[in-house]
Amino acid sequence: MIIKSFKINKKIVFNIIILFLIIILISSFLIISKSIDVNSIIFWDNYNSIDLSENEDYIKWVDFKITSDVLLKTAKLDIDSHNSDSEIKYNWIELLAYLACKNGGNFKKFKENDLNKLIEQLKTGKSMEEITNGMKYYNYYYESYLATLGGFIGNYSIEVESEDGTTYFKEKYGIKAFLPIAKNYAFSHYDDFGASRSYGFKRTHLGNDLMGSIGTPIVAVESGTVVNLGWNQYGGWRIGIRSFDGKRYYYYAHLRKDHPYAANLAEGSTVTAGDVIGYLGMTGYSIKQNVNNINVPHLHFGIQLIFDESQVEGTNEIWINVYDIIEFLKQNRSSVFMNNTDTKDYVRKYNFKE
């Protein structure tokens, strides 16, 4: 009788434990559900997530997957049309946004025929507004790519050298953004965006590492204002430059020990695309300033997109994969020379105006 009673008690205890676990699971589910913003609807467009908050109409996320090959093709169409007598002037941002609608934002699925058909339609006189009418996400892609690439192509003047050795300014339309590594300096890189990092805390790599020699001149990709300058324990000596339209924040990190920056550079300084801003190094991963704790000399280069000031710092930051942007910018590099043998500072060789 005692044994039978014991068996009954064991079943009761077991049932109580199961019930307790169910209560915990339900409570956890309710807490998670409550934390979800019901006003924010996330939808998926072929692996590309877009935040459509009714209360906040700015873009919350951009997954930049345009290959360098497509960047080159569309840029050429844009530039050639503006430098010719063609009545039709192509806009590479519009072309890219259209193609993104065709491939869900994943340009590994790019089809040459989609671009050819679009060009043929434009040649017949159709406008992009007519062609893209009914494309649900066209405006999203257009705004995203405009924020990413808006300062890369346009009108500018650059100093060119004549046969007699004198220079003059020549008006041009084309690529006006520069590779961050100065001309004639070797570097290598691979697609390391999203790779694991563990210093300080476990996190993902939000940029592209360009391996090179210590002292390699680093140039401004785009014109803008220096908003951050100094030591950061993760990036070492670093520079943060914000584009004039406020949409892009350029991050250059792990600069050289002892002499990281170009002469007279300071927070608040205005820089022009192609200007020397600093020198490649291996500083960082230290609370103490001016320490080389990076194993391999390289430039960490990143681009942050900003659609709203709430995205400048914190959990809402948008960093994009810049690997293919670096590949694209290889065609436009800034020539530099040493202008001060005492300090061994470099400056750009040819002046540039926008």
Side-chain angles (χ1 to χ4, degrees), residues 56-60 227 242-249 304-318:
E56 300 171 327
D57 58 2
Y58 57 86
I59 291 173
K60 311 297 189 308
V227 294
R242 192 155 177 188
S243 61
F244 290 134
D245 65 4
K247 295 293 185 182
R248 291 165 298 287
Y249 174 77
Q304 179 189 3
L305 302 183
I306 302 170
F307 298 93
D308 183 84
E309 289 304 304
S310 65
Q311 298 173 318
V312 172
E313 291 184 6
T315 57
N316 296 323
E317 295 175 16
I318 302 174

Side-chain angles (χ1 to χ4, degrees), residues 222-265:
E222 185 184 352
S223 301
T225 304
V226 177
V227 294
N228 288 306
L229 189 79
W231 184 263
N232 177 297
Q233 68 166 307
Y234 299 98
W237 294 122
R238 83 340 181 172
I239 302 171
I241 298 174
R242 192 155 177 188
S243 61
F244 290 134
D245 65 4
K247 295 293 185 182
R248 291 165 298 287
Y249 174 77
Y250 294 93
Y251 184 63
Y252 309 80
H254 307 313
L255 301 180
R256 183 174 60 184
K257 182 180 178 180
D258 297 328
H259 189 174
Y261 307 123
N264 301 319
L265 196 71

Side-chain angles (χ1 to χ4, degrees), residues 7 96 122 136 140 142 174 228 243 265 280 318 337 339 342 347 349 351:
K7 287 182 179 179
L96 291 167
L122 291 169
K136 189 174 181 181
Y140 162 77
Y142 178 81
N228 288 306
S243 61
L265 196 71
L280 187 147
I318 302 174
F337 71 97
N339 75 322
D342 292 330
V347 295
K349 186 175 182 180
N351 290 317

